[in-house]
Amino acid sequence: MEKHIVSILKSIGAVQVGFLNRREALFGNWIQPWLKNEYNGDMAWMRRNAAIRSDPCSILDDGKSIISIAFPYYTQTPGQWKDQHLISNYAWGEDYHVVVKKRLKKAIRQITETVPDFKGRAFTDSAPLPEKIIAAACGIGWIGKNSLLISPEWGSYIFLAEIVCNLDIDSTPSLPDRCGECELCVNACPNRAIADHKTVMATKCASYLTIEKHGEFSPAEERQIHYHLFGCDSCQLVCPWNKKLKALENSPFACDPKWLNLSLDDLAHLPESRFDELKIKSPLKRIKIDGIRRNARTILRNGSATE
Ligand code: B12
Ligand code: SF4
Ligand code: SF4
């Protein structure tokens, strides 16, 4: 049955699949130290749903296992962004929340039709499931020092998704941590936001500041934006496990050319009508027009733009 499920998931674009039985998916209150340090900043939602974070199968009545799934998103870097991504790779194309969810719904339909009594719910960054911890526990990869899940084959440019289901499936073995003595990501972080123990202090992270932070930036935060309009890839760009990746072709995550003809000045003064076009299918709609204008103004003030 596991092979059958894996083949369905591979047919919808998954590159890795692992199974985690509820017995091995009891994680305790792992998030507490991070919250105590208030690294969550404006992400108040990280304080909720402690019971699901601890026992993710409990999100489904009769949840017995988690199917952890990886989808790659590394695509060709637009020439003018080289090693300084104005927008992060994960957001260059269509919104993965929509693309991956659609794929998973299709897979669930196929599994339900062929596996008797199967019940499952699909998630990708859409629930308080600890997605990296789950993926690491069932052999998708290991959690690197930058706190991201690294697959030995697909690096860290992968989206994680899950199907929590009522099947009692044995867990796939985990993989060893292969960061070794490397500290490239820790040193590459422009804001020294990576602490020990695979911990990102989100309130210092340019990804948090550009995407999750509400309102205006403090002067210190302004400097931490550097050249980032949406998200940050610096701790992934240096990772040796991402160096040999082949860019995907014909991917919905490839950079939409609509982003390439806009100057920072255009973005800082973006008219509503233009934003209405740009936000279609894009993850950038999350920060709304005010977020784009704020971030672009800040980059211009920092004077560290790529153009
Ligand atoms: C909140 C969040 C953020 C926040 C905080 C990031 C962070 N590292 O905590 C911000 C906005 C900064 C962010 C940024 C990014 N994010 Co984000 N984010 C999340 C989210 C919603 C929750 C992560 C979380 O729980 N953080 C809280 C901290 C305390 O937990 P943690 O990161 O897992 O780290 C702890 C545990 O791993 C624990 N730990 C380590 N080993 C073990 C083992 C066991 C058994 C246990 C119990 C615990 C444990 O130690 C760590 C420190 O306490 C997840 C989706 C999800 N539902 O999981 C996506 C997710 C992690 N993000 C994702 C992405 C793509 C990004 C960005 C790359 C986007 C970008 N380019 O800007 C950046 C990367 C920044 C970075 N280096 O982390 C992907 C990562 C895919 C991958 N390969 O890992 C995810 C999984 C979404 C998805 N479905 O694909 N993100
Ligand atoms: S995403 Fe950028 S700011 Fe955040 S931890 Fe990684 S390198 Fe640092
Ligand atoms: S850059 Fe080095 S330390 Fe950081 S995640 Fe990659 S291998 Fe691990």
Side-chain angles (χ1 to χ4, degrees):
M1 182 185 49
E2 285 91 325
K3 273 195 183 150
H4 173 64
I5 293 175
V6 170
S7 83
I8 290 177
L9 289 167
K10 295 230 162 145
S11 76
I12 54 130
V15 288
Q16 276 183 270
V17 179
F19 298 94
L20 189 63
N21 193 284
R22 191 167 186 168
R23 287 187 301 273
E24 278 89 40
L26 300 170
F27 300 124
N29 199 357
W30 55 273
I31 202 170
Q32 194 47 35
W34 194 76
L35 293 175
K36 205 168 158 219
N37 282 315
E38 301 191 342
Y39 291 149
N40 60 310
D42 289 342
M43 299 181 291
W45 40 273
M46 294 292 289
R47 293 194 176 275
R48 299 198 276 271
N49 298 301
I52 297 174
R53 290 182 206 284
S54 160
D55 175 10
C57 284
S58 67
I59 201 159
L60 182 81
D61 292 341
D62 202 23
K64 292 202 181 77
S65 307
I66 308 172
I67 308 169
S68 174
I69 309 150
F71 293 94
Y73 68 85
Y74 178 73
T75 51
Q76 187 68 46
T77 309
Q80 71 257 52
W81 292 349
K82 293 187 196 103
D83 285 343
Q84 293 201 337
H85 297 171
L86 180 71
I87 297 173
S88 299
N89 192 156
Y90 91 96
W92 290 348
E94 293 184 34
D95 190 340
Y96 76 96
H97 298 93
V98 179
V99 174
V100 169
K101 205 54 174 283
K102 232 185 244 169
R103 292 178 182 178
L104 293 176
K105 279 192 174 157
K106 184 174 170 196
I108 286 193
R109 269 200 309 277
Q110 292 180 17
I111 301 171
T112 311
E113 281 164 13
T114 47
V115 177
D117 303 323
F118 175 85
K119 261 200 295 171
R121 274 182 71 192
F123 306 94
T124 183
D125 198 26
S126 52
L129 303 184
E131 300 190 299
K132 295 177 283 185
I133 298 171
I134 292 168
C138 63
I140 303 286
W142 70 95
I143 297 178
K145 288 183 189 156
N146 59 9
S147 102
L148 294 170
L149 195 285
I150 304 176
S151 148
E153 257 181 278
W154 299 92
S156 62
Y157 292 106
I158 46 176
F159 296 124
L160 297 176
E162 305 74 31
I163 296 175
V164 180
C165 72
N166 62 344
L167 304 177
D168 196 356
I169 311 176
D170 283 340
S171 299
T172 317
S174 59
L175 296 178
D177 184 324
R178 292 170 74 181
C179 281
E181 298 301 308
C182 176
E183 297 232 309
L184 287 170
C185 56
V186 178
N187 297 326
C189 175
N191 298 341
R192 308 299 285 168
I194 305 178
D196 287 347
H197 313 300
K198 310 172 182 213
T199 302
V200 169
M201 301 177 265
T203 41
K204 289 188 177 184
C205 171
S207 178
Y208 161 83
L209 292 169
T210 54
I211 303 173
E212 302 292 342
K213 155 90 189 164
H214 306 151
E216 291 302 313
F217 296 129
S218 68
E221 288 169 340
E222 285 214 344
R223 289 189 293 275
Q224 290 170 329
I225 298 303
H226 307 277
Y227 56 83
H228 300 290
L229 183 77
F230 189 86
C232 170
D233 287 335
S234 300
C235 56
Q236 299 193 85
L237 281 163
V238 294
C239 180
W241 294 94
N242 288 333
K243 292 288 182 199
K244 285 191 215 132
L245 298 181
K246 222 172 133 243
L248 299 173
E249 281 171 24
N250 302 319
S251 166
F253 306 122
C255 191
D256 191 317
K258 71 186 173 192
W259 296 114
L260 301 177
N261 301 320
L262 288 158
S263 69
L264 283 168
D265 211 46
D266 292 336
L267 291 162
H269 302 98
L270 200 61
E272 296 272 358
S273 56
R274 188 77 179 98
F275 179 67
D276 287 344
E277 292 162 31
L278 289 172
K279 74 178 179 189
I280 296 169
K281 293 192 175 179
S282 168
L284 273 77
K285 66 176 168 298
R286 180 171 176 82
I287 60 169
K288 308 198 174 75
I289 191 167
D290 291 344
I292 293 188
R293 287 176 179 159
R294 174 197 66 181
N295 296 350
R297 273 196 318 266
T298 307
I299 301 172
L300 284 169
R301 274 204 289 271
N302 283 340
S304 54
T306 52
E307 32 177 44

